Amino acid sequence: MADLEEEVHVLVHRVVKDITNAFKKNPNIDEIGVIPCSEPRYNRSPVMLVETKLGVESWCVKFLLPYVHNKLLLYRQRKHWLDREALVDVTFTLLLLNPDFTTAWNVRKELHQCGVLNPERDLYLGKLALTRFPKSPETWIHRRWVLLQILQQCSAKRCYRKEQGEASLSSVSMEGNGQILCEPLARIINEELTVCSDAAGRYASNYNAWSHRIWVLQHMAKRSIKVYLDELSSMRLWVSMHVSDHSGFHFRQFLLKAIIKELCQGQESTAMNTLPQTQSLHLQASRETSVSEDGNKKTQQSGLVTMLQLFHQEMELCSDLIQSFPGHETLWCHRRHIFFLWHHWKQDHQHSHCNNTDTKSPHSQYACTDLSSGPCTGLSKSTEQSCGGDTVNGQPQVGEVMEVDGVTSPNSHDIKRLKRGFLISCSPALQSEHNFIFSILEGCCLEQRRFALAYKKWLETVIIQ
């Protein structure tokens, strides 16, 4: 019995050392796996490294995992001593094979706080573990803890630079509303988004991966509209290839809500800047105020154009997917949510816009009335002809081609069309939705017909009432 334990100890020690040496030999390993093998066939190491792929033969895992597990528990119970280097290797090997072992992650947290481990090293470990266990909740939880440590370090460095007066523009890569992201933080955000995409592709409806992606945007890229718009554009292809995965569409709904929130807060802040000045101000100050008011109005109009384009493109994407992939309830649920979001945003914007109508502007009342109208309603005859009354997938088409893969900054032509109600007339409306439902019902399968009728009933009971 003692001889057997000694053999197992020698075997495990050798396997742990081989795994450690494999990562030293190739630090760019991007995937791990277990090679099915019931018994050792050759007198060689059970650890195999082929380019950037690491494999461990399954026959040694049944010896390796329990041994490393018990060794770490004895250390936590203060019954067995391990130095820091051994702890790093033992926890690394254990978490590659079983990433849901909370004790191992806690030991690595202690090593982080002692300054033994680099935070990015644990992000790399978690990335490898997620290649085998993409839904591991403990791995995602530990990643968030490590990211919070990185955020605290970035915040401390930023405060130190402000105190020393060494703010450098070269370290800035992305700019949002009220937050500037340093280059290392932007790189980590991009890597996290890539890890989330890989995990979501390996496991369908991976709630943990999508929740982590939302957390990253909320805590590490908060108030950065550019990041939100880039995510909305980059995820179009993913949701088009996973039409039954509701988590991906739920993420797009989160992005739209976040963009609306940031744009509305930006308009509120600009509205605060346009408050009437006291009568004691000089004439020069009043002129400067009028110039700032014009700039604020252009900013608000640009935000409005952006939102109209976003809703139009999202409904257009949903229409294309419904017609290309009939019978998927996820697409109809997403369309329902987007139209509901558009309906409430339109009402809120119409209410606030009508309350802040400038009587001196010849376009303000016109734009306010157009917002509540249907497609091509209340427009001049020339504008109506430019719309042409043509519809594709039940959606009215605009005269100029819009950006599909991304949302660009609105130009002066967009703002001019906004003033005469052109873009607003081509936005989602009840009539266009009924036209789309009618086009679907003309020739579709039984399952698609059931979803279309349910959506029609929802429009009549929820939106109209």
Side-chain angles (χ1 to χ4, degrees):
M1 187 66 178
D3 294 339
L4 179 60
E5 291 181 358
E6 184 65 23
E7 290 179 3
V8 172
H9 175 77
V10 173
L11 170 65
V12 170
H13 182 73
R14 189 182 68 175
V15 172
V16 173
K17 187 176 181 180
D18 289 343
I19 293 176
T20 304
N21 291 335
F23 281 94
K24 290 180 180 179
K25 182 179 179 181
N26 188 351
N28 298 320
I29 296 175
D30 56 7
E31 188 176 356
I32 60 173
V34 175
I35 303 173
C37 185
S38 58
E39 58 184 11
R41 298 179 181 179
Y42 306 100
N43 187 17
R44 66 181 185 186
S45 173
V47 179
M48 300 182 63
L49 177 63
V50 180
E51 295 181 353
T52 59
K53 313 299 178 183
L54 179 68
V56 181
E57 294 181 355
S58 59
W59 67 266
C60 74
V61 175
K62 61 182 179 180
F63 299 107
L64 177 63
L65 190 57
Y67 183 85
V68 179
H69 183 277
N70 294 332
K71 196 173 184 179
L72 189 61
L73 286 180
L74 290 175
Y75 166 79
R76 293 292 288 176
Q77 296 171 2
R78 301 297 187 264
K79 297 180 180 180
H80 183 73
W81 173 250
L82 291 173
D83 58 15
R84 291 179 176 179
E85 185 178 354
L87 274 177
V88 173
D89 294 340
V90 167
T91 54
F92 190 89
T93 304
L94 177 58
L95 291 170
L96 286 179
L97 301 175
N98 181 21
D100 286 331
F101 188 42
T102 311
T103 303
W105 289 120
N106 292 336
V107 170
R108 294 186 74 88
K109 286 184 176 72
E110 295 175 358
L111 294 174
H112 274 291
Q113 294 172 348
C114 295
V116 178
L117 280 177
N118 184 7
E120 295 189 3
R121 181 65 179 173
D122 259 15
L123 293 180
Y124 175 66
L125 170 60
K127 177 182 177 180
L128 289 177
L130 290 172
T131 58
R132 282 198 65 216
F133 306 92
K135 205 176 179 180
S136 171
E138 296 297 331
T139 305
W140 293 112
I141 292 172
H142 186 75
R143 290 187 77 85
R144 287 193 281 273
W145 184 88
V146 174
L147 292 174
L148 286 177
Q149 306 306 308
I150 295 176
L151 282 177
Q152 292 177 2
Q153 293 177 4
C154 292
S155 178
K157 291 180 181 178
R158 208 159 36 232
C159 293
Y160 176 77
R161 288 178 180 175
K162 287 182 179 179
E163 292 177 357
Q164 299 296 326
E166 297 178 354
S168 175
L169 295 177
S170 61
S171 63
V172 176
S173 62
M174 288 186 293
E175 185 173 339
N177 294 356
Q179 186 187 40
I180 298 178
L181 303 180
C182 59
E183 185 175 351
L185 186 60
R187 177 178 54 82
I188 292 176
I189 291 175
N190 291 331
E191 291 178 357
E192 285 300 299
L193 298 179
T194 302
V195 171
C196 293
S197 297
D198 293 341
R202 293 176 185 273
Y203 195 99
S205 299
N206 194 338
Y207 173 80
N208 295 326
W210 290 105
S211 298
H212 182 79
R213 194 183 191 111
I214 292 176
W215 184 92
V216 169
L217 294 181
Q218 288 177 332
H219 293 80
M220 303 189 69
K222 55 186 178 181
R223 305 199 64 188
S224 180
I225 296 183
K226 180 182 182 302
V227 177
Y228 293 152
L229 292 176
D230 290 343
E231 277 290 278
L232 197 65
S233 176
S234 63
M235 290 306 299
R236 288 176 64 94
L237 178 61
W238 198 95
V239 297
S240 299
M241 298 175 62
H242 302 78
V243 292
S244 295
D245 196 328
H246 180 74
S247 300
F249 290 98
H250 177 265
F251 179 70
R252 296 186 67 83
Q253 296 163 15
F254 158 78
L255 291 174
L256 284 173
K257 291 179 182 177
I259 294 172
I260 291 175
K261 181 180 179 181
E262 295 303 325
L263 289 179
C264 290
Q265 289 180 354
Q267 292 180 0
E268 289 178 359
S269 61
T270 54
M272 293 296 295
N273 296 329
T274 59
L275 291 176
Q277 304 294 326
T278 57
Q279 296 180 356
S280 61
L281 293 178
H282 299 287
L283 179 61
Q284 182 179 0
S286 64
R287 291 177 180 176
E288 293 177 355
T289 304
S290 62
V291 172
S292 64
E293 288 179 356
D294 293 338
N296 293 332
K297 288 180 181 179
K298 291 181 180 180
T299 302
Q300 293 178 3
Q301 290 175 348
S302 300
L304 179 59
V305 171
T306 301
M307 287 311 307
L308 291 173
Q309 289 180 348
L310 289 177
F311 279 114
H312 174 81
Q313 292 174 7
E314 196 65 23
M315 295 297 288
E316 188 179 52
L317 171 65
C318 198
S319 299
D320 292 340
L321 294 179
I322 287 176
Q323 291 187 332
S324 301
F325 305 96
H328 290 274
E329 188 176 8
T330 301
L331 300 175
W332 288 97
C333 292
H334 181 63
R335 188 182 190 91
R336 185 179 305 181
H337 189 97
I338 295 304
F339 190 82
F340 186 79
L341 188 62
W342 154 257
H343 179 71
H344 280 274
W345 178 83
K346 181 181 68 173
Q347 289 183 338
D348 294 340
H349 179 81
Q350 178 183 358
H351 178 71
S352 60
H353 188 80
C354 290
N355 289 339
N356 299 325
T357 298
D358 186 3
T359 56
K360 295 182 181 180
S361 175
H363 303 292
S364 35
Q365 185 178 1
Y366 185 72
C368 183
T369 55
D370 278 345
L371 188 62
S372 59
S373 62
C376 298
T377 304
L379 300 176
S380 61
K381 185 175 181 180
S382 59
T383 308
E384 196 169 326
Q385 290 176 354
S386 64
C387 282
D390 296 333
T391 60
V392 177
N393 298 333
Q395 297 294 320
Q397 299 299 298
V398 296
E400 296 184 9
V401 179
M402 286 189 177
E403 184 80 17
V404 175
D405 293 332
V407 180
T408 57
S409 300
N411 52 30
S412 58
H413 297 289
D414 291 331
I415 297 178
K416 289 180 181 179
R417 292 201 302 271
L418 173 65
K419 287 183 178 181
R420 65 175 183 261
F422 186 85
L423 285 176
I424 295 176
S425 67
C426 295
S427 58
L430 280 174
Q431 183 60 42
S432 63
E433 291 302 289
H434 283 290
N435 292 339
F436 174 74
I437 295 173
F438 179 75
S439 65
I440 293 295
L441 292 176
E442 283 184 343
C444 63
C445 61
L446 182 61
E447 196 73 8
Q448 182 87 313
R449 181 181 181 86
R450 182 170 67 87
F451 294 146
L453 292 177
Y455 180 63
K456 181 175 181 294
K457 183 177 181 180
W458 176 83
L459 288 174
E460 295 173 349
T461 56
V462 177
I463 300 300
I464 296 179
Q465 293 181 1

